[in-house]
Amino acid sequence: MSEELLRRIAAGDVTIGIYGLGYVGLPLGLTFGTNGISVIGFDIDPEKVECLNRGESYFRHIDAAAVADVVRNGFFSATTDFAQTRDCDALIVCVPTPLTRNREPDLSFVLNTSRQIARYLRKGHLFCLESTTYPGTTKEHLLPIIEETGLQVGTDVYLAYSPEREDPGNATYTTQQIPKLVAGHTERCGRIAQALYGAAFSHVVPVGSCAVAEAAKLLENIYRSVNIALVNELKVMLAKMDIDVWEVIDAAATKPFGFMRFEPGPGLGGHCIPIDPFYLAWKAREFGVTTRFIELAGEVNVAMPGYVVDKLQGALNERGKPLNGSSVLLLGLAYKR
């Protein structure tokens, strides 16, 4: 069965179901579709589905012409009907993984979507998760959902994890060009997942287990979070010394090795850095480990908006104006233009 699926992948004779057509799922679907592989996009929002089926885009950074091309050529369609899962050969989940109000991982979107998919699972399906999550999610949560159907992972169906690495609006690296980490629950699962992504991505990077791939994705964003916190802390410290942090960064950046430029800001933005580090910190507590760097970085970054407001209040006071009652113009409110 696995050899037949590999043969069909090599021939481009497969249909991929992508669940969640947000800033991760839609570019992924377009990447496969532009490479001549049929895609069915699933979303619970009927307005998004109708928009895509008209060949239009609801993201400013995704060209409507790219959507129109794959729709017109018959390589992409969107639906709210999960029963069409039966028509797919590979199933890729790209739904949000936010935090709860208590700053704990919220896997409800992943689990609910996976349970919906499981109703239509059949022999020969490849099931892959792309949502960012803590190490162990694929094995501890998705494996039981699949095996509850009576299908055996590794022989009947194939389970994999491949973390998204989207950077919306990045003009240098397209989805296809960004190296794709891929791991399978078994060696055979991994081989099939590598073949599938290899049909559309320029460079596929296999790793030894789903947990490694899950942890690697978190490391990428934790690395940025910690370094942003470091330069934010330097900004506060150097301001008290009356030293221009920007000039310091420019000077340090002249070193051609051993230094990577990070810049201070008023806080954290985006989908990943404010959330992902807390996934690993939460999981670490299960093993009795305190992630001091991760949590301290979070504290520093979360405190930056307060620091900015204090600076603003001081600047207004110097001009004899209270913050209360003043009009404040925010330029660059979004984390990306």
Side-chain angles (χ1 to χ4, degrees):
M1 187 178 298
S2 61
E3 295 305 318
E4 170 64 13
L5 182 54
L6 285 168
R7 185 195 64 76
R8 291 181 57 206
I9 290 172
D13 183 27
V14 289
T15 298
I16 300 174
I18 295 179
Y19 299 81
L21 298 175
Y23 78 100
V24 173
L26 182 55
L28 181 66
L30 296 180
T31 299
F32 280 112
T34 55
N35 280 275
I37 299 172
S38 296
V39 174
I40 300 175
F42 295 82
D43 203 282
I44 61 173
D45 185 343
E47 291 185 10
K48 285 184 178 180
V49 166
E50 292 168 10
C51 177
L52 293 172
N53 286 333
R54 290 195 303 266
E56 301 171 1
S57 172
Y58 38 78
F59 288 119
R60 289 181 62 184
H61 71 282
I62 296 177
D63 188 2
V67 178
D69 282 347
V70 293
V71 170
R72 182 175 58 253
N73 293 328
F75 290 117
F76 185 91
S77 64
T79 183
T80 59
D81 181 12
F82 272 67
Q84 291 190 38
T85 297
R86 298 189 186 98
D87 301 324
C88 301
D89 302 288
L91 321 169
I92 303 177
V93 175
C94 306
V95 296
T97 45
L99 294 171
T100 68
R101 293 177 62 183
N102 296 324
R103 304 195 76 80
E104 294 181 344
D106 179 1
L107 295 181
S108 59
F109 294 96
V110 169
L111 299 181
N112 291 339
T113 302
S114 298
R115 291 186 184 109
Q116 279 271 74
I117 293 170
R119 296 168 57 195
Y120 306 103
L121 273 179
R122 57 168 171 75
K123 288 186 176 182
H125 266 150
L126 168 65
F127 188 111
C128 185
L129 177 64
E130 286 215 4
S131 306
T132 303
T133 185
Y134 56 80
T137 299
T138 304
K139 180 178 180 180
E140 295 167 11
H141 294 284
L142 300 192
L143 180 63
I145 288 174
I146 293 173
E147 292 191 333
E148 282 174 6
T149 67
L151 296 168
Q152 188 67 37
V153 171
T155 54
D156 298 330
V157 296
Y158 311 102
L159 177 62
Y161 181 77
S162 179
E164 62 87 6
R165 283 175 155 176
E166 277 299 316
D167 188 17
N170 190 319
T172 304
Y173 296 103
T174 65
T175 299
Q176 183 171 355
Q177 293 168 330
I178 300 169
K180 200 77 173 84
L181 296 182
V182 178
H185 179 67
T186 67
E187 187 275 335
R188 184 180 295 172
C189 296
R191 215 158 30 94
I192 293 170
Q194 290 165 39
L196 182 75
Y197 283 106
F201 283 77
S202 302
H203 186 39
V204 173
V205 183
V207 296
S209 71
C210 294
V212 168
E214 290 161 341
K217 168 62 179 180
L218 294 182
L219 173 58
E220 294 168 17
N221 289 332
I222 290 167
Y223 172 83
R224 293 167 64 200
S225 174
V226 169
N227 280 281
I228 291 169
L230 172 63
V231 78
N232 278 338
E233 192 168 64
L234 285 172
K235 160 65 181 174
V236 175
M237 179 189 73
L238 293 176
K240 291 183 178 295
M241 298 179 181
D242 198 26
I243 299 173
D244 184 349
V245 69
W246 301 102
E247 188 175 359
V248 171
I249 293 169
D250 287 342
T254 62
K255 185 178 180 181
F257 57 89
F259 180 83
M260 182 172 287
R261 186 186 186 102
F262 285 83
E263 298 181 350
L268 289 176
H271 299 272
C272 300
I273 300 180
I275 295 174
D276 296 353
F278 294 101
Y279 266 65
L280 191 57
W282 177 86
K283 186 65 175 179
R285 289 195 290 272
E286 181 181 319
F287 294 87
V289 177
T290 301
T291 50
R292 288 179 288 177
F293 263 119
I294 296 173
E295 293 175 13
L296 180 59
E299 291 175 16
V300 171
N301 291 326
V302 167
M304 287 307 292
Y307 171 78
V308 172
V309 172
D310 286 344
K311 294 288 285 184
L312 172 63
Q313 188 169 358
L316 288 170
N317 287 340
E318 289 174 4
R319 290 158 178 78
K321 284 185 68 68
L323 182 57
N324 186 17
S326 295
S327 295
V328 179
L329 174 64
L330 297 176
L331 299 177
L333 179 62
Y335 85 109
K336 286 196 173 187
R337 59 183 177 274

